[in-house]
Structure formats: structure tokens, C-alpha cells
Amino acid sequence: MLTSCPADPVLKYCLPLPFRELAPGWLRGRARLRHNGRSISCRHLSMLIRPRQPFDFHRTLKFILSPPAQASGRKFEPLLDHFEEDEYRRVVEFDGEQVLYGVREEGRALKVRILAGPSNSGTQTAVRQLVERQFSASLDLAAFYRRVASDPVLSRLTRHFRGLRIPQSPNIFAAVVSAILDQQVNLAFAFKVKKALVECYGGHVERQGRRYFAFPSPGALAILSPRDLRKIQISGPKARYIIAIARDALDGRLDLEGLRGEEPAAAHARLLEQKGIGPWTAFFVGLLALSHLDALPSGDVGLQSAIHAFYGLGRRPSPARVERLAQNWSGWRSYATFYLWLTYWETPQWRKEFILQLRGGQYARKRSLAKS
């Protein structure tokens, strides 16, 4: 059932936002209130977020919505994240109730609205804060670009991916479980297992004949046995890890949302205390759920391969060599890693042409040094 707004919804909701952005809606709302003599549903009020520039909504969505290009050409259907009618949509849970929200770009702003579920002022505020965090709206990305301006590879990548943010998972528990399911399996199998998990144990919202799923809550998974998860092809060890983490999160032994307020090193260490979470998984959660800006997975094969291909190295670098190279990215090593990873989302032809451009630049620099 939808809940109604407080007695004065426009005043209560709009005052925290810049008047110049909301004045037309304010005046129209007041006119309707006086003319019709009834209150306006909060569902008809949209929230505006003005991300710090540079910001590229559609490039960021590409990472959220699409896996890397598959050699087989296979495409995956939407699971939790949807793009419909020029709007990004996802279901989240607040206080045990499912909420479907939508985000679309209007000019240089993001327009956020609740499409289904409770729409009271508390939920509106929670959704707005979630979207600001999910799209890293307040981050000064220009500082990252200045930091790597002298790097021959990243300076080019920041121009190509300009405005692209690291999207943050709306749900830390979902990020942890997804990272565990991704361990040591191919992308297609991981998607199949996550789809089964979500459809078997996740909540959902119905809207206009469509069903939108939410990721299973800790409570939904904590009551399961490993045998239950084995039925959807989750391995025995992973099933035990996931159930244990769900139970720890449910009874308060593991405060995943509280990790947002901890220093990155402390949050990383806390994650490593959990069985099933190793250094790579902890890095992944820090990158895509905790907004850690300066982490480096120096042992990641994908990062090593990208460095090997783009920096003209004779062989794939060791973790120690990755760490030496990354000293030039200090303060922004998570973003440097992310932009290098993003090259796998591009076509093979793009990567080939990019390498040729880099080699041309390297050749020109060598000639310049030789003349001097």
C-alpha cells in the first residue's frame, strides 16, 4: 500500500533544495493544492541532484548495465538493474519494504523519483541519498584527471571515459555475496547462479505488468542451509560462506553498512575476517560499494594484462612492479584501476587502435629524447 505525504509535502520536502531549481514545481503544486483542496502525493514530486562536473550518466550506466564484451557475442538480460523509457530503475529495501526508484538525466541534473512502494518523506530522503552515493555525485573527478595528467596511458583514458564514475552498489550485502559468487567461475555461470539466487529468494515489485527483483536480504538467506543453495549450483564452500555472512549481518556481528564510515584500511581488514573473503573480494567490495579511492589490486590478472598491453612492457608485470607504477596514481589508484579495467568493455578493434596510438606516442617521445 502506498503511504501519503505529510500535511504540507511541498514545504517539508522542497525547502532543503535550492529554490531556483524547484520554484516552478513549487508554484504548480501550491496552485493545485488551492484549486483542488487536497494534498499531493509525494510520488508525483521528483528529486533533482546536480552532480559535480565532469559527469557522464550514460557512460556510468554502461558499466552498471553491461558486462564486458563476450567473444561469443552473448548478451545478458537485466537482473537487478534496468534501463527502460530512458530511465535507470532498481529495487531496494528500506525498513523491510521494497521500493522501486528511477533515475533519468535532465540537462546537467539527475531526476529521481519513486515508481512503486512507500513514498513518504523518510523514503524520499533515503532514496535521494542512495542515488547521490550510487553515482558518486559529489566526487571531484577533476582532481583525479589532474593527478594522472602526465601518465601517457591514463591521460588518454581519462579523455575517452571523461565523466565516468565508479558506480556504487546500493546494497553492501549484495556486493559481498555477488563478489563471492564471481570467484573462480566464468561470467556466464556467475550470472546464471545470481539470477537463480535473486529469483528464488529475493523480493520483488510489480509495476505496469513488469516484475522488478531485489537482491535477497540477509534474513532471507540466513534461514537457508547449504543444501538449499546447492540446488541452484552454488558450491558447498560458497554456500557456507554466504549463509554465515548473512547470519552475522542479521544478528549484528557484522555491520556491513557501518563499514562506510570506517577508514578504508580498517574496513578492508574487517572484511578479511570473514571466511570466503580474500584480498581481491575485499578490494572489489571497497571499490564498488564503499567508495574507496586509493586501493590497488596489484595481483589482479586483468589489471596486470592491461598494464602489459598499454605500457609497452615486455611481459605481464609482477604485483611489485604494478605497485611501483601505481605510485604515480597515489590518492586515486582505485580510479586508475577502474579506468584500465574499463578498456575490456570496449571492442577488440578499439583496444587495437588505442595500442597503436600509444605506440606512436611512445615512438615520438623516444625520438624527442634522442634529439635532446
Side-chain angles (χ1 to χ4, degrees), residues 62 69 342-353:
K62 182 180 179 182
L342 284 171
T343 61
Y344 293 104
W345 268 249
E346 301 296 326
T347 65
Q349 182 61 30
W350 181 90
R351 286 172 59 87
K352 181 179 179 180
E353 291 176 358

Side-chain angles (χ1 to χ4, degrees), residues 152-162 310 336 339-340 343 350 354:
V153 176
L154 284 168
S155 60
R156 290 175 181 264
L157 290 180
T158 54
R159 290 194 294 272
H160 181 70
F161 295 123
R162 183 172 177 80
F310 299 146
Y339 273 40
L340 287 165
T343 61
W350 181 90
F354 183 63

Side-chain angles (χ1 to χ4, degrees), residues 57 86-88 101-105 110-112 131 135:
F57 181 57
D86 205 32
E87 182 177 60
Y88 166 75
Y101 66 94
V103 186
R104 68 173 68 243
E105 189 172 42
L110 297 180
K111 181 179 179 180
V112 185
V131 172
F135 290 95

Side-chain angles (χ1 to χ4, degrees), residues 115-335:
L115 302 171
S119 59
N120 53 64
S121 60
T123 304
Q124 292 271 357
T125 299
V127 169
R128 177 190 170 90
Q129 292 173 345
L130 181 150
V131 172
E132 288 178 330
R133 183 174 64 243
Q134 185 180 12
F135 290 95
S136 302
S138 63
L139 182 66
D140 181 12
L141 201 56
F144 166 52
Y145 296 163
R146 291 192 297 269
R147 185 71 181 87
V148 299
S150 62
D151 186 287
V153 176
L154 284 168
S155 60
R156 290 175 181 264
L157 290 180
T158 54
R159 290 194 294 272
H160 181 70
F161 295 123
R162 183 172 177 80
L164 191 153
R165 309 300 175 98
I166 301 178
Q168 299 297 298
S169 173
N171 184 322
I172 297 176
F173 177 71
V176 170
V177 173
S178 295
I180 291 173
L181 293 176
D182 286 340
Q183 294 171 358
Q184 299 178 328
V185 295
N186 63 50
L187 191 65
F189 183 76
F191 177 85
K192 177 183 176 181
V193 169
K194 278 185 264 190
K195 184 175 187 291
L197 182 72
V198 166
E199 292 182 352
C200 287
Y201 302 108
H204 66 270
V205 169
E206 301 276 353
R207 182 179 186 271
Q208 297 178 346
R210 290 290 307 274
R211 176 171 289 185
Y212 298 86
F213 282 96
F215 197 85
S217 66
L221 299 184
I223 61 174
L224 302 179
S225 70
R227 180 177 296 179
D228 294 322
L229 294 183
R230 288 287 296 131
K231 292 177 182 177
I232 56 173
Q233 296 185 280
I234 296 177
S235 69
K238 288 184 180 180
R240 290 191 290 273
Y241 300 150
I242 290 168
I243 292 170
I245 289 171
R247 291 173 179 173
D248 285 351
L250 190 64
D251 66 18
R253 287 194 297 268
L254 176 61
D255 180 10
L256 288 172
E257 292 300 317
L259 295 178
R260 297 188 198 277
E262 294 192 14
E263 289 295 318
H268 186 84
R270 183 75 180 94
L271 287 169
L272 289 176
E273 293 174 3
Q274 302 298 311
K275 288 185 177 180
I277 298 182
W280 187 91
T281 301
F283 167 81
F284 182 88
V285 174
L287 182 82
L288 297 178
L290 301 178
S291 302
H292 292 171
L293 298 180
D294 196 32
L296 179 73
S298 57
D300 179 75
V301 173
L303 175 60
Q304 292 174 351
S305 297
I307 290 173
H308 175 215
F310 299 146
Y311 284 86
L313 304 184
R315 59 182 179 180
R316 201 172 74 198
S318 66
R321 189 168 186 185
V322 171
E323 289 168 10
R324 288 196 299 272
L325 176 66
Q327 290 175 359
N328 296 325
W329 316 331
S330 180
W332 293 93
R333 290 179 296 175
S334 296
Y335 260 86

Side-chain angles (χ1 to χ4, degrees), residues 20-21 48-53 106-110 128 137:
R20 64 181 181 276
E21 295 177 10
L48 287 180
I49 297 172
R50 293 196 177 276
R52 192 165 186 169
Q53 297 299 319
E106 291 197 354
R108 292 165 71 90
L110 297 180
R128 177 190 170 90

